[in-house]
Amino acid sequence: MSTERDSETTFEEDSQPNDEVVPYSDDETEDELDDQGPEVEPAQNRVNREVEERRETFRKDCTWQVKANDRSFHEQPHFMNTKFFCIKESKYAGNAIKTYKYNAFTFLPMNLFEQFKRAANFYFLVLLILQAIPQITTLAWYTTLVPLLLVLGITAIKDLVDDVARHKMDNEVNNRTCEVIKDGRFKTAKWKEIQVGDVIRLKKNDFIPADILLLSSSEPNSLCYVETAELDGETNLKFKMALEATHEYLQRENSLATFDGFIECEEPNNRLDKFTGTLFWRNTSFPLDADKILLRGCVIRNTDICHGLVIFAGADTKIMKNSGKTRFKRTKIDYLMNYMVYTIFVVLSLLSAGLAIGHAYWEAQVGNHSWYLYNGEDTSPSYRGFLNFWGYIIVLNTMVPISLYVSVEVIRLGQSYFINWDLQMYYFEKDTPAKARTTTLNEQLGQIHYIFSDKTGTLTQNIMTFKKCCINGQIYGDHRDAAQHNHSKIEQVDFSWNPYADGKLAFYDHYLIEQIQLGKEPEVRQFFFLLAVCHTVMVDRIDGQLNYQAASPDEGALVSAAREFGFVFLSRTQNTITISEMGTERTYTVLAILDFNSDRKRMSIIVRTPEGSIKLYCKGADTVIYERLHRMNPTKQETQDALDVFASETLRTLCLCYKDIEEKEFEEWNKKFVAASVASSNREEALDKVYEEIERGLILLGATAIEDKLQDGVPETISKLAKADIKIWVLTGDKKETAENIGFACELLTEDTTICYGEDINALLNTRVENQRERGGVYAKFVPPVHEPFFPSGGNRALIITGSWLNEILLEKKTKTSKILKLKFPRTEEERRMRTQSKRRLEAKKEQRQKNFVDLACECSAVICCRVTPKQKAMVVDLVKRYKKAITLAIGDGANDVNMIKKSLSSSLIYTKNIPTLSSSTGVSCMICPHWCWNKWTRRHASSHVK
């Protein structure tokens, strides 16, 4: 009983998309997103399948085995894979990396193969072969060989220079040194000599040579600070923490030399923020996650010495897994030149054929008595015409411009230097010029029609400042005095009463300060205590001053704000956290940290107070917090109203809540938590399930609002782009209200702009589909398309659409199968045929829907997509490229923008440092400060269009 509706998404029956919800996890891979889920099966089939899946999952998740200080372990026969015929190599890669394309043996054949893929070069190769045939040739063979060798030589030299630079870079990296345990002692070794299982020692400011498990460090509790700029572009430090057992026993050289731990973990992959494994040591198993792994490409900061065990080396490291294959991007000029050459080929062939036919006719009718021509009397006129055809091909070879490609390459090379020398692209404050990282896409910059831009860190400065908050339903942060009287101008709050305050926070609500100092409302103090305790920030003391190192600017801004208001985060260990509460130091025992990720969108911490009570503190996005609140929350609506106010002011918001936990309840939950932490397979899913059990019945405290200011000159830049008829699409994960107000702030939207939302365009698209169906009827596919606008002419329109509506409109929602019992096996031919037809109809419907959406969106002067994921960003770019055949520019500043950037032909990756893992696929990139790059880079593009 299979029907088409079993595999279609039933939009009419589904509830309306939720504008506040990100449609699916940013962490999901494309395979996971495309997975439609299993069909309903008989019970026994399902049991058998689940058992087999558990076995397969265990095998897949834990097939990578690492033995510390034992290189011979990884050379066992069952770790060997056949690479070529009978040649076998270990599946564990060495630590030497290779980014170059050629070596001494492969340069000539590979480079020639690549060059002869160009039509003109291949044509002249064929021409050279023809000139070697005496019966055909009319010109000496060297007349073609010399210019062909010249063209091939110039291009080969250019490729060789580029590859030599890659060789030098690889040699420099592979010959870096670090200390590795050999023969029981630390000895200096080159990076390329490191192998999986080695124990290494790194010092401050050292690059990490491989993906390693942090064993211990010189910092308290074996903390280690790393800079991950080469991985995600973020310059703020992140911290890693070793296991308590390895921190305690693996500090000395002799103990590290005798360390014999055994690790089972996941296979090498490209997930930078994920790691699952287990360490077996001293008859105990210890769970491993990404917080204990130091990745290749990071730099050790603020840590004198750290020790680690190599898990992935060389090509198996996550940074190399992310590099991917270099995709050669071609411009419109490349395609135009190929089209021109192919056209010349056709014209040349027709002309030569006409001349050869005429020649054969002449000889057949008149005859050939000229002494200086090949008489060919022993052959037929048709055969002589055939030979003359190739002769005319040779004679007319000058029709094909052999130097065309070289000329274009020289022009592009010169243009790249002009970009590098452009004074208007020079950033004086950091002495940083623009950097054209490729010479193949330069001419595209003047042909851009669409710019796809991230918001946070690209349009905005990504410098967070605490501005307002809502506590117990009341909003704080306006300009008012201690008597709650509002003023247009009032003096800044004086934090001198707090010895830990650094005075950097500009705050004007004196009434909040009075509430904190008096302590009449316990929720106010508990609010800031939560900010001081629920985080992953690390603290340093530099010259007696506290210095916070946060993994995200948002978290750093909140902890710093709590510090100003009297709740100061002082220090943390593996199991404790110390807070100064209005001058009184108190130490809390950390029982569990429920980590933040893009799927959970929240973070929780469970602590035991000095009095012995257990509390859970949680902060996260309003969409996930409100789902987990206790039904008795009197300030729920007031807080929601405050969130709407904050969003209208373009402030970034988080909700705060807490929960009291009974001792017995925690003990039962902790057993599940420990079991999930050491699970060999599906550990993340098991932990999420356990987290859900405890994060229920929460009491809402309030919400925070922090500001991320626009970069200087953004409105003026967007105005110039609009005059150049360049359309800007902003793709962000922020709330709809926040994104809309940012649109007004940067003048992408104006008061005269008519804004269309997801529900509006959904109705328009449904109407268009009905019209197309009625107009075409049964023969819809044979009816030529009618290009009619969605909106009447005139007026300024903009589209604001959320990720959920985007999935709804583009038919990207996960399908919903009926609950009818269906046997998965066997399936008849008739069922297969019907299923295939159903899929084809769905694909055609989906394609038409997507094309209509692109047509509608391109009629708008601006498009803002909010609550979208990295995959959706890439999908939007791909749709515009596919259906509009337009040249696009993608601009972003983080790892979540890489998918979007790769989809765009002309790309700009704005980072504060060079990112080697991404440079091969990003096209034209600039190595410029992100606070300035959007303004300069895009304004320069607009100027070229206006001129």
Side-chain angles (χ1 to χ4, degrees), residues 620-833:
D622 55 334
T623 54
V624 296
I625 296 297
Y626 268 61
E627 294 175 356
R628 292 159 178 80
L629 292 179
H630 192 277
R631 62 178 180 272
M632 298 298 294
N633 268 281
T635 61
K636 187 175 180 179
Q637 185 57 46
E638 289 84 350
T639 305
Q640 182 60 56
D641 295 339
L643 289 170
D644 295 337
V645 172
F646 297 154
S648 67
E649 299 175 4
T650 69
L651 301 176
R652 299 165 62 90
T653 58
L654 281 178
C655 285
L656 310 183
C657 52
Y658 72 98
K659 173 184 177 181
D660 293 319
I661 303 177
E662 298 292 336
E663 186 73 35
K664 184 177 180 181
E665 178 187 1
F666 174 76
E667 290 178 359
E668 293 177 355
W669 176 85
N670 193 48
K671 293 178 182 178
K672 300 177 183 179
F673 173 67
V674 173
S677 299
V678 296
S680 299
S681 62
N682 299 324
R683 180 180 298 174
E684 292 181 12
E685 292 82 354
L687 284 172
D688 286 343
K689 185 177 180 180
V690 173
Y691 293 165
E692 286 285 346
E693 293 183 12
I694 200 69
E695 291 175 326
R696 292 288 180 184
L698 304 175
I699 305 300
L700 184 64
L701 270 176
T704 62
I706 58 180
E707 181 184 33
D708 187 8
K709 292 183 179 180
L710 280 177
Q711 292 189 30
D712 297 333
V714 167
E716 295 83 355
T717 303
I718 289 178
S719 175
K720 284 192 175 183
L721 291 171
K723 291 179 181 178
D725 196 26
I726 299 176
K727 295 183 178 179
I728 300 176
W729 292 31
V730 176
L731 311 178
T732 178
D734 279 341
K735 294 176 62 175
K736 182 173 70 174
E737 294 82 5
T738 303
E740 182 175 340
N741 284 282
I742 283 290
F744 280 106
C746 66
E747 297 184 9
L748 194 62
L749 308 175
T750 63
E751 296 298 332
D752 299 330
T753 303
T754 301
I755 300 177
C756 301
Y757 297 97
E759 53 270 26
D760 303 324
I761 68 168
N762 191 43
L764 287 173
L765 292 174
N766 287 335
T767 303
R768 175 60 57 88
V769 170
E770 291 296 329
N771 293 340
Q772 291 172 339
R773 187 181 296 121
E774 292 175 1
R775 187 166 50 242
V778 179
Y779 306 99
K781 68 169 82 175
F782 304 108
V783 176
V786 178
H787 298 286
E788 53 182 332
F790 284 87
F791 304 106
S793 59
N796 187 21
R797 290 178 178 83
L799 171 61
I800 298 179
I801 186 169
T802 60
S804 298
W805 269 112
L806 198 61
N807 276 356
E808 177 90 14
I809 291 170
L810 301 181
L811 305 185
E812 291 286 344
K813 293 177 65 177
K814 291 189 177 182
T815 58
K816 183 172 65 178
T817 57
S818 65
K819 296 183 179 180
I820 301 174
L821 180 64
K822 295 187 294 183
L823 293 177
K824 188 173 183 179
F825 299 104
R827 181 178 292 134
T828 64
E829 287 296 328
E830 180 66 17
E831 288 176 333
R832 290 194 182 97
R833 185 181 63 80

Side-chain angles (χ1 to χ4, degrees), residues 65-82:
Q65 299 176 344
V66 178
K67 184 72 178 295
N69 290 316
D70 189 355
R71 290 190 173 185
S72 60
F73 174 82
H74 306 102
E75 298 173 358
Q76 298 180 67
H78 59 275
F79 292 139
M80 296 292 177
N81 295 329
T82 302

Side-chain angles (χ1 to χ4, degrees), residues 198 243 250 296 345 379 484 506 523 525 536 551 575 625 665 670 675 707 739 786 835 841 877 902 920 936:
D198 286 351
L243 291 167
L250 298 179
R296 178 178 179 135
F345 285 165
T379 59
Q484 301 191 57
E523 291 84 359
R525 288 195 173 187
T536 58
N575 300 314
I625 296 297
E665 178 187 1
N670 193 48
E707 181 184 33
V786 178
R835 188 177 183 84
R841 286 193 295 269
V877 176
K902 284 186 174 181
S920 62
K936 288 278 187 177

